Amino acid sequence: MLKKIEAIIREDKVNDVKDALYEIGIMGLNMFEVRGHGRQGGIKLVGRAGTYQINMLPKIQINIVLSDHNLEAAIEAILDSAHTGEPGDGLIFVYPVDEAIRVRTRERGQDAM
Amino acid sequence: MLKKIEAIIREDKVNDVKDALYEIGIMGLNMFEVRGHGRQGGIKLVGRAGTYQINMLPKIQINIVLSDHNLEAAIEAILDSAHTGEPGDGLIFVYPVDEAIRVRTRERGQDAM
Amino acid sequence: MLKKIEAIIREDKVNDVKDALYEIGIMGLNMFEVRGHGRQGGIKLVGRAGTYQINMLPKIQINIVLSDHNLEAAIEAILDSAHTGEPGDGLIFVYPVDEAIRVRTRERGQDAM
Ligand SMILES: Nc1ncnc2c1ncn2[C@@H]1O[C@H](COP(=O)(O)OP(=O)(O)OP(=O)(O)O)[C@@H](O)[C@H]1O
Ligand SMILES: Nc1ncnc2c1ncn2[C@@H]1O[C@H](COP(=O)(O)OP(=O)(O)OP(=O)(O)O)[C@@H](O)[C@H]1O
Ligand SMILES: Nc1ncnc2c1ncn2[C@@H]1O[C@H](COP(=O)(O)OP(=O)(O)OP(=O)(O)O)[C@@H](O)[C@H]1O
Ligand SMILES: [Mg+2]
Ligand SMILES: [Mg+2]
Ligand SMILES: [Mg+2]
């Protein structure tokens, strides 16, 4: 069975996360920038002119479609490599996937991964 | 049970939608820009030099992972705050989510939200 | 039943893919740029100063929510129009969708598509 991981992480952790995934044999992934916030609603900056709420922080979302046999190992690799212990370390979401198809070969399912 | 909302809305409605979600207690979300069109295939601009089809309009996609207990309230908040009544108001899609994990604490499921 | 297609394709195939989808009556879609790689881990560039691994190649991700009655026709249209036969032609992923709602009319399900 195929699953999709969406990992929303700090920009400066992207290379560590990629390296951690390669080490367990996960090569296929894509990423893009998102802006948002979690439960804290962003961060407050206090300056002489007043208090500013910066509530749309940039993060990188990494998407990985993979076999469910590799799912827990991939989650562990991301949790270890993306972690600082401070608020804003990010979130991992997992979704069901019905099908995957490689355009070059028309292979489907696990064979396409 | 966790669900994911993808709401593709007008750029100038983003703040209204965020405010409407905060009012019902929804803090966690992320967003990014997409280009596309719905059934009309974009808009036509008629000028002296001819007719142009502008068929990739920019919109903002807001993603929200949340408990299914909050799903209908969040959909109502988006429908109310993103609405103008003109074509191009956008679409809301809902997806199943298998798992959510907070990187800082390793909490899973509803606890991570 | 509704499904979502995510097609990650070459940038220079976007217009061909859009045309192929319109020809079978698929108008609604959105797209954005992603960076990533598949099993090859990107491409190697060999120059006088050494070997460079360019491992985050840009692609376009096209998202289409559609009725499962149109799913196989849409996949075939993408496979035909995005194909070159060289590595890097891209991947198609299919996901389950719980609900779709048009903001302007509040129509739900297949009616919203
Ligand atoms: N419920 C959510 N749905 C979708 N995206 C979210 C959600 N919550 C947060 N995000 C995205 O994930 C990013 C990381 O969030 P963040 O790490 O602050 O999560 P958190 O739950 O507040 O955890 P922490 O308490 O460790 O800060 C946010 O900047 C936002 O882009
Ligand atoms: N079937 C679809 N799948 C994925 N994205 C879509 C789909 N249809 C539209 N979109 C995206 O949603 C945006 C908003 O579409 P739009 O509001 O024009 O929808 P519509 O169905 O044409 O409704 P209306 O008749 O009110 O214009 C589009 O610009 C596009 O980015
Ligand atoms: N497992 C994956 N999960 C998510 N995205 C992926 C995955 N594999 C590849 N991608 C994305 O899809 C794009 C296209 O990948 P690519 O066509 O090289 O796939 P491939 O499986 O290596 O096939 P080929 O052997 O034909 O090159 C990549 O640049 C990356 O953005
Ligand atoms: Mg936070
Ligand atoms: Mg429209
Ligand atoms: Mg490849």
Side-chain angles (χ1 to χ4, degrees), chain A residues 77-93:
Chain A
I78 297 168
L79 286 173
D80 286 343
S81 56
H83 189 263
T84 70
E86 299 297 314
D89 272 353
L91 293 164
I92 299 172
F93 302 120

Side-chain angles (χ1 to χ4, degrees), chain A residues 27-87:
Chain A
M27 300 294 293
L29 56 78
N30 71 75
M31 62 182 63
F32 55 101
E33 193 183 298
V34 298
R35 296 192 161 259
H37 53 71
R39 296 169 307 166
Q40 290 86 5
I43 54 168
K44 263 199 192 85
L45 294 182
V46 185
R48 278 192 299 183
T51 301
Y52 306 89
Q53 182 76 10
I54 310 282
N55 62 11
M56 286 287 132
L57 301 169
K59 300 275 179 197
I60 300 295
Q61 179 173 321
I62 301 184
N63 293 332
I64 310 160
V65 176
L66 77 183
S67 164
D68 60 353
H69 294 111
N70 301 323
L71 179 64
E72 281 303 323
I75 289 171
E76 282 302 317
I78 297 168
L79 286 173
D80 286 343
S81 56
H83 189 263
T84 70
E86 299 297 314

Side-chain angles (χ1 to χ4, degrees), chain C residues 37-40 87-88:
Chain C
H37 51 73
R39 296 169 308 166
Q40 290 87 5

